[in-house]
Amino acid sequence: MNFLPVLRELALAYQSFERYSAPDIKVMGLTHTQFDIIATLGNQPHMTCKQLGEKTLVTKGTLTGVLERLEMKGILERKLNPEDARSQMIGLTKDGQQLFEKVFPHHVAHLEKAFGKLSVDEMTEIQGSLKKLRAIF
């Protein structure tokens, strides 16, 4: 059970990230999930719900409700998929793209304050370790 300290540090690191990141997103009037979707759709062509789910950290059950709320706010739009009428293409509206252009650089700059404390070598090492950890599951 020598993995328990690793598990604890992983959980604590994620909680620390959330405590640092969430207030910045909340000030912008968004939830983490909404930000994740807007950041994924920003400057991108429309994509299917399946593609969006694969590119975000949002579960399918949560995704549907969040998409509906963002659509009601005029931030995103849905169109029929010309290649498959059973699915829809999802993308940002003009207002949604403007929101992306405002909030994405702001939040990246906020995160840079924390990640900037690490060297390139340290970030590369951490990324490699996290990839290895993910691969075992």
Side-chain angles (χ1 to χ4, degrees), residues 23-122:
D24 186 60
I25 290 173
K26 188 174 183 179
V27 165
M28 295 183 278
L30 299 170
T31 66
H32 255 284
T33 303
Q34 290 170 336
F35 179 83
D36 191 8
I37 291 169
I38 292 166
T40 302
L41 291 172
N43 291 331
Q44 297 295 314
H46 283 55
M47 61 184 75
T48 65
C49 193
K50 181 180 179 190
Q51 291 168 324
L52 182 59
E54 290 169 354
K55 292 178 183 266
T56 64
L57 302 175
V58 184
T59 63
K60 185 178 179 184
T62 301
L63 188 61
T64 303
V66 175
L67 293 179
E68 288 172 1
R69 287 186 289 283
L70 289 174
E71 186 176 25
M72 286 190 299
K73 291 181 177 184
I75 293 172
L76 66 81
E77 63 186 359
R78 301 181 208 216
K79 299 177 181 179
L80 284 178
N81 184 348
E83 297 175 12
D84 182 358
R86 297 171 296 170
S87 68
Q88 297 176 332
M89 302 299 288
I90 301 165
L92 294 179
T93 61
K94 183 180 176 184
D95 288 346
Q97 182 62 32
Q98 288 175 343
L99 179 62
F100 165 78
E101 291 169 6
K102 176 184 169 191
V103 300
F104 187 75
H106 173 85
H107 192 59
V108 169
H110 178 71
L111 295 176
E112 174 64 28
K113 292 175 192 171
F115 284 100
K117 296 173 184 175
L118 298 170
S119 71
V120 172
D121 288 343
E122 288 170 323

Side-chain angles (χ1 to χ4, degrees), residues 1-12:
M1 296 216 298
N2 58 351
F3 66 89
L4 292 177
V6 173
L7 185 60
R8 178 173 170 73
E9 287 303 322
L10 179 63
L12 290 172

